[in-house]
Amino acid sequence: MKKNILIVMPSLHSGGAEKSLISLLTALPKSMFDIDLMVVNKGGLFYGMIPDGINVIEAPRSFRIALGRLHEMKSIDWGVKCISNVLLRLSRLSNLKTLQFTWMMWHKIIPDLHKSYDVAASFMDSMTNYYVIEKVNAKRKYLWVHNDYKKLNMYAPFDAKFFAKADNVVTISNLCVQSLKETFPDLKDKFIAIENISSKTLVDKMANEFYPEEYKGIEHEVIILSIGRLVEQKGFDLAVKAAKTLKDKGFQFKWFIIGVGGLEENLKAYISQHDLQNDFELLGERSNPYPYIKHCNLFLQTSRFEGKSIVVDEAKILNKPIIATNYPTVKDNIQDGQSGIICETSPEAIANAIIALNQDKSKQQHIISHLERYCNGNEDEVEKYIKLFCRTQNQKVFSI
């Protein structure tokens, strides 16, 4: 008999968690599961990639508004803006993060979902976690945290109440599990790690679809690529400063960033101010980034913190020399000197690592050979998701 599953996701805009969910939905056997998918804010880069056979359901209007779709209340737009400003200021006076405070203020008017499920899963931390626990009727409930929890700066006592009611809280690496256990020692048996799915078959296929137009005509420069949201976490402010250092040292390069986000204007201003227009380019979103990875010379991950970066795993599948900053969970992604190079989290260290690796062709080849031998995706990880979703109600311990 098929399991009836609800998966809740805030949106399907660009991001590793969003991409991972699409891979999971594609991989889960339809013979075993009937899946309802609630995407609270519809649209986004990956929305059109929802596979056939997935039933997309509408989120309650009040939930959409609470998660940020305030423009839906046009008739009282002035009032919404005032309320939003008050909520933001009140959250800053409390210990709660804005989304935690928003849930506390909105949850009573968000209706319950009037359908029962065998399994309900929130595939993203924060408000969808709260929704699944308080508003969904399911025999088993699973919550996700896609980052190093300590780095999220959430108010832990608020989240503890929701984590305690979940059957498990899933995160994406062993170090992320450790971060949760240290923050919530009384709930340590709740936390498990299941990696995001990286399909070598799919990545290789999509990487061969085209040659990037932006790369054409680049002959003498080193092509550097980074991918991620333009937010402080991803460290692209460090990247653009590293680019200035490279240019000052006479290093010839072209650095491309795929992604969008709130720091775009700041990055553009720095690029213009330091005359980096011909050296550092923001490409925006790309539905298929894999040809960009395949045909670059170096892949750079400049993050301040991560869970376990899916895009780094995909760069490994495509056998790219990788340089990553020394964020707390980086060793879940990179074995220093084998599958890539780890450098300190500063513009000067990033620039020096780029120059050193570019000059050391034998080191590059060693990394490429290691990746070719050992990094072939993790499609078999879907078996752990199946085991999780098929766990029977009387199983008290879940081991993967």
Side-chain angles (χ1 to χ4, degrees):
M1 186 174 179
K2 288 185 177 183
K3 293 284 186 182
N4 189 19
I5 296 179
L6 171 70
I7 298 176
V8 184
M9 191 70 172
S11 73
L12 285 172
H13 295 288
S14 57
E18 291 83 350
K19 187 189 302 179
S20 176
L21 177 57
I22 295 298
S23 297
L24 175 62
L25 293 173
T26 303
L28 285 173
K30 305 303 184 292
S31 61
M32 296 180 67
F33 304 108
D34 285 324
I35 301 174
D36 285 356
L37 174 64
M38 178 188 289
V39 181
V40 182
N41 291 327
K42 290 185 177 180
L45 187 63
F46 297 116
Y47 192 81
M49 299 182 188
I50 297 171
D52 293 339
I54 303 299
N55 180 38
V56 180
I57 64 173
E58 190 83 9
R61 181 169 176 264
S62 53
F63 192 21
R64 296 197 303 269
I65 293 167
L67 251 176
R69 294 290 292 271
L70 298 177
H71 62 271
E72 294 190 12
M73 297 178 70
K74 292 176 183 177
S75 62
I76 52 170
D77 195 42
W78 62 271
V80 169
K81 288 179 180 178
C82 292
I83 293 169
S84 299
N85 288 333
V86 169
L87 290 177
L88 181 60
R89 290 174 184 175
L90 287 174
S91 71
R92 288 171 178 168
L93 292 174
S94 72
N95 290 318
L96 300 178
K97 293 287 284 187
T98 301
L99 287 177
Q100 293 176 318
F101 191 86
T102 302
W103 181 260
M104 187 178 72
M105 299 300 294
W106 280 83
H107 74 107
K108 289 185 178 180
I109 65 171
I110 295 174
D112 293 347
L113 188 62
H114 294 299
K115 182 177 178 179
S116 297
Y117 293 91
D118 295 309
V119 175
S122 162
F123 206 71
M124 182 65 81
D125 41 86
S126 197
M127 283 185 71
T128 54
N129 280 352
Y130 312 148
Y131 177 80
V132 162
I133 293 298
E134 289 198 354
K135 302 297 179 178
V136 177
N137 181 21
K139 295 175 183 176
R140 307 200 75 79
K141 296 183 180 183
Y142 301 110
L143 309 181
W144 255 258
V145 175
H146 276 272
N147 265 302
D148 177 350
Y149 186 86
K150 288 182 178 179
K151 298 295 183 181
L152 294 175
N153 295 319
M154 303 296 280
Y155 182 56
F158 186 87
D159 282 342
K161 295 180 293 183
F162 295 90
F163 291 172
K165 294 178 182 178
D167 290 277
N168 286 107
V169 178
V170 185
T171 190
I172 56 177
S173 76
N174 291 328
L175 287 175
C176 288
V177 167
Q178 189 60 34
S179 177
L180 284 164
K181 286 182 175 181
E182 290 173 1
T183 308
F184 306 95
D186 293 342
L187 301 174
K188 62 181 185 298
D189 293 337
K190 295 274 188 183
F191 306 123
I192 60 173
I194 307 180
E195 293 183 4
N196 285 326
I197 295 173
S198 299
S199 167
K200 179 172 174 57
T201 303
L202 179 62
V203 169
D204 284 341
K205 177 180 179 294
M206 294 180 69
N208 289 316
E209 288 187 355
F210 61 88
Y211 184 87
E213 191 69 30
E214 295 88 350
Y215 288 6
K216 292 178 181 178
I218 300 176
E219 297 177 359
H220 303 296
E221 296 95 337
V222 175
I223 298 176
I224 302 169
L225 179 68
S226 298
I227 299 176
R229 291 171 293 119
L230 306 184
V231 295
E232 184 180 8
Q233 174 191 345
K234 301 299 181 180
F236 293 139
D237 56 318
L238 305 175
V240 75
K241 291 174 183 176
K244 180 181 183 302
T245 300
L246 290 173
K247 185 170 184 177
D248 290 345
K249 292 185 176 185
F251 186 78
Q252 292 186 306
F253 68 98
K254 183 77 175 185
W255 196 330
F256 296 96
I257 305 284
I258 293 176
V260 296
L263 290 182
E264 182 173 349
E265 292 307 316
N266 289 348
L267 293 172
K268 285 181 176 179
Y270 189 94
I271 290 166
S272 176
Q273 181 182 351
H274 296 279
D275 195 26
L276 293 169
Q277 295 92 330
N278 295 323
D279 309 290
F280 197 101
E281 185 172 347
L282 305 178
L283 297 178
E285 289 184 325
R286 291 293 185 272
S287 59
N288 181 5
Y290 303 115
Y292 291 87
I293 300 174
K294 178 177 180 177
H295 296 288
C296 73
N297 301 116
L298 297 175
F299 188 86
L300 264 290
Q301 182 82 1
T302 58
S303 297
R304 290 181 167 90
F305 66 93
E306 286 287 342
K308 186 173 185 291
S309 173
I310 190 170
V311 72
V312 168
D313 285 340
E314 290 166 341
K316 288 160 65 178
I317 288 172
L318 292 170
N319 306 320
K320 287 291 108 178
I322 299 165
I323 297 172
T325 46
N326 192 23
Y327 51 87
T329 60
V330 68
K331 291 181 182 177
D332 278 335
N333 274 121
I334 297 293
Q335 184 182 359
D336 191 24
Q338 299 296 321
S339 54
I341 300 297
I342 299 173
C343 71
E344 291 307 310
T345 311
S346 72
E348 188 71 24
I350 294 167
N352 289 339
I354 290 169
I355 294 171
L357 184 56
N358 181 67
Q359 292 175 344
D360 193 341
K361 302 304 179 185
S362 64
K363 175 62 75 176
Q364 288 187 47
Q365 189 54 52
H366 175 79
I367 292 171
I368 291 168
S369 298
H370 179 92
L371 296 174
E372 288 174 340
R373 184 174 181 182
Y374 294 109
C375 298
N376 295 302
N378 65 345
E379 285 140 302
D380 58 349
E381 198 78 359
V382 73
E383 295 299 327
K384 295 181 182 179
Y385 288 92
I386 293 171
K387 185 177 180 182
L388 181 73
F389 293 153
C390 290
R391 176 187 174 192
T392 59
Q393 187 130 19
N394 60 359
Q395 283 180 291
K396 295 187 181 301
V397 177
F398 178 59
S399 176
I400 57 175

